[in-house]
Amino acid sequence: MAERTGYYERLGEFLRDRLNSDTDPFAEEDPEESGAGFLRRAGNTMEKRNAPKKAVRLVAVPRELAEDFRILGLRPGEPLAECKAAWKLLLQQHHPDKYAGASETARQTAEQTTRNVTQAYRRIAHWFSSGKILPRE
Protein backbone atom coordinates (compact mmCIF):
# COMPACT_ATOMS: atom_id res chain seq x y z
CA MET A 1 0.00 0.00 0.00
CA ALA A 2 2.94 2.30 0.62
CA GLU A 3 3.87 2.02 -3.04
CA ARG A 4 0.43 3.21 -4.18
CA THR A 5 0.44 6.06 -1.70
CA GLY A 6 3.76 7.25 -3.08
CA TYR A 7 2.45 7.09 -6.62
CA TYR A 8 -0.68 9.08 -5.83
CA GLU A 9 1.28 11.56 -3.75
CA ARG A 10 3.64 12.17 -6.66
CA LEU A 11 0.70 12.47 -9.06
CA GLY A 12 -1.00 14.93 -6.70
CA GLU A 13 2.17 17.00 -6.45
CA PHE A 14 2.54 17.03 -10.22
CA LEU A 15 -1.07 18.12 -10.74
CA ARG A 16 -0.90 20.66 -7.93
CA ASP A 17 2.18 22.25 -9.48
CA ARG A 18 0.68 22.29 -12.95
CA LEU A 19 -2.82 23.42 -12.03
CA ASN A 20 -1.74 26.22 -9.71
CA SER A 21 0.23 27.99 -12.40
CA ASP A 22 -1.29 30.04 -15.21
CA THR A 23 0.87 28.43 -17.86
CA ASP A 24 -0.29 25.63 -20.11
CA PRO A 25 1.51 22.44 -19.02
CA PHE A 26 1.38 21.24 -22.60
CA ALA A 27 2.86 24.41 -24.12
CA GLU A 28 6.41 23.07 -23.84
CA GLU A 29 5.62 20.12 -26.08
CA ASP A 30 7.09 20.22 -29.55
CA PRO A 31 4.44 18.82 -31.95
CA GLU A 32 7.06 17.66 -34.43
CA GLU A 33 8.93 15.73 -31.78
CA SER A 34 6.01 13.75 -30.37
CA GLY A 35 4.91 12.16 -33.64
CA ALA A 36 1.58 11.36 -32.00
CA GLY A 37 -0.61 13.19 -34.48
CA PHE A 38 -3.05 15.39 -32.61
CA LEU A 39 -1.97 14.22 -29.17
CA ARG A 40 0.46 16.13 -26.99
CA ARG A 41 2.21 14.99 -23.85
CA ALA A 42 3.24 16.66 -20.60
CA GLY A 43 4.90 14.39 -18.13
CA ASN A 44 2.94 11.15 -18.31
CA THR A 45 -0.28 12.86 -19.39
CA MET A 46 -1.65 12.92 -22.93
CA GLU A 47 -4.03 15.56 -24.25
CA LYS A 48 -5.86 15.63 -27.54
CA ARG A 49 -5.28 18.76 -29.62
CA ASN A 50 -7.69 20.19 -32.15
CA ALA A 51 -6.73 19.78 -35.75
CA PRO A 52 -4.86 22.79 -37.09
CA LYS A 53 -7.06 25.21 -38.96
CA LYS A 54 -6.49 25.26 -42.65
CA ALA A 55 -5.50 28.58 -44.09
CA VAL A 56 -8.37 30.07 -46.04
CA ARG A 57 -7.30 30.75 -49.56
CA LEU A 58 -9.02 33.81 -50.96
CA VAL A 59 -9.91 33.96 -54.64
CA ALA A 60 -9.54 37.11 -56.71
CA VAL A 61 -13.04 38.40 -57.43
CA PRO A 62 -14.33 41.23 -59.62
CA ARG A 63 -14.92 44.57 -57.92
CA GLU A 64 -18.62 44.31 -58.74
CA LEU A 65 -18.94 41.46 -56.24
CA ALA A 66 -17.17 43.20 -53.34
CA GLU A 67 -20.47 44.69 -52.14
CA ASP A 68 -22.11 41.25 -52.23
CA PHE A 69 -19.38 39.80 -50.02
CA ARG A 70 -19.81 42.77 -47.65
CA ILE A 71 -23.56 42.11 -47.42
CA LEU A 72 -22.79 38.55 -46.35
CA GLY A 73 -20.24 39.85 -43.84
CA LEU A 74 -17.28 38.18 -45.56
CA ARG A 75 -13.99 39.24 -47.06
CA PRO A 76 -14.05 39.39 -50.86
CA GLY A 77 -12.80 36.09 -52.23
CA GLU A 78 -13.96 33.74 -49.47
CA PRO A 79 -14.79 30.22 -50.73
CA LEU A 80 -18.33 29.46 -51.84
CA ALA A 81 -18.87 27.15 -48.84
CA GLU A 82 -18.20 30.06 -46.47
CA CYS A 83 -20.58 32.23 -48.49
CA LYS A 84 -23.31 29.62 -48.22
CA ALA A 85 -22.80 29.26 -44.47
CA ALA A 86 -22.98 33.04 -43.99
CA TRP A 87 -26.09 33.21 -46.19
CA LYS A 88 -27.86 30.53 -44.15
CA LEU A 89 -26.93 32.20 -40.87
CA LEU A 90 -28.20 35.59 -42.05
CA LEU A 91 -31.45 34.04 -43.28
CA GLN A 92 -31.99 32.46 -39.88
CA GLN A 93 -31.43 35.80 -38.17
CA HIS A 94 -33.50 38.00 -40.51
CA HIS A 95 -36.21 35.73 -41.89
CA PRO A 96 -39.56 37.58 -42.13
CA ASP A 97 -41.40 34.76 -40.35
CA LYS A 98 -39.52 35.65 -37.16
CA TYR A 99 -41.14 39.10 -37.33
CA ALA A 100 -44.74 37.90 -37.82
CA GLY A 101 -45.94 39.53 -34.61
CA ALA A 102 -43.72 42.61 -34.90
CA SER A 103 -44.55 45.97 -36.42
CA GLU A 104 -45.05 46.39 -40.15
CA THR A 105 -41.80 48.34 -40.55
CA ALA A 106 -39.78 45.63 -38.78
CA ARG A 107 -41.31 42.97 -41.02
CA GLN A 108 -40.62 45.01 -44.18
CA THR A 109 -37.04 45.61 -43.07
CA ALA A 110 -36.59 41.87 -42.54
CA GLU A 111 -38.03 41.14 -45.99
CA GLN A 112 -35.69 43.66 -47.62
CA THR A 113 -32.69 42.29 -45.74
CA THR A 114 -33.61 38.75 -46.78
CA ARG A 115 -33.90 39.86 -50.41
CA ASN A 116 -30.52 41.60 -50.31
CA VAL A 117 -28.77 38.64 -48.68
CA THR A 118 -30.29 36.13 -51.11
CA GLN A 119 -29.46 38.27 -54.13
CA ALA A 120 -25.87 38.70 -52.93
CA TYR A 121 -25.46 34.95 -52.44
CA ARG A 122 -26.99 34.16 -55.85
CA ARG A 123 -24.65 36.61 -57.61
CA ILE A 124 -21.62 35.10 -55.86
CA ALA A 125 -22.72 31.50 -56.51
CA HIS A 126 -23.42 32.27 -60.18
CA TRP A 127 -19.99 33.87 -60.55
CA PHE A 128 -18.30 30.86 -58.91
CA SER A 129 -20.10 28.41 -61.22
CA SER A 130 -19.99 30.29 -64.54
CA GLY A 131 -17.54 33.14 -64.19
CA LYS A 132 -20.23 35.63 -65.23
CA ILE A 133 -21.69 38.37 -63.06
CA LEU A 134 -25.46 38.62 -62.78
CA PRO A 135 -26.92 42.15 -62.92
CA ARG A 136 -28.43 43.56 -59.74
CA GLU A 137 -32.22 43.35 -59.59
Side-chain angles (χ1 to χ4, degrees), residues 11-52:
L11 180 63
E13 290 171 8
F14 174 78
L15 291 175
R16 196 174 314 108
D17 292 343
R18 300 295 183 170
L19 296 177
N20 287 338
S21 69
D22 290 334
T23 60
D24 182 7
F26 298 100
E28 305 158 357
E29 179 65 27
D30 181 17
E32 301 298 323
E33 186 178 296
S34 68
F38 297 119
L39 298 176
R40 59 185 183 173
R41 179 185 304 272
N44 291 333
T45 308
M46 296 286 285
E47 181 182 79
K48 184 176 180 181
R49 294 182 292 154
N50 293 334

Side-chain angles (χ1 to χ4, degrees), residues 91-109:
L91 283 182
Q92 286 176 354
Q93 293 173 353
H94 299 288
H95 199 278
D97 290 347
K98 290 181 75 173
Y99 297 91
S103 67
E104 184 66 23
T105 57
R107 193 179 56 75
Q108 288 176 351
T109 303

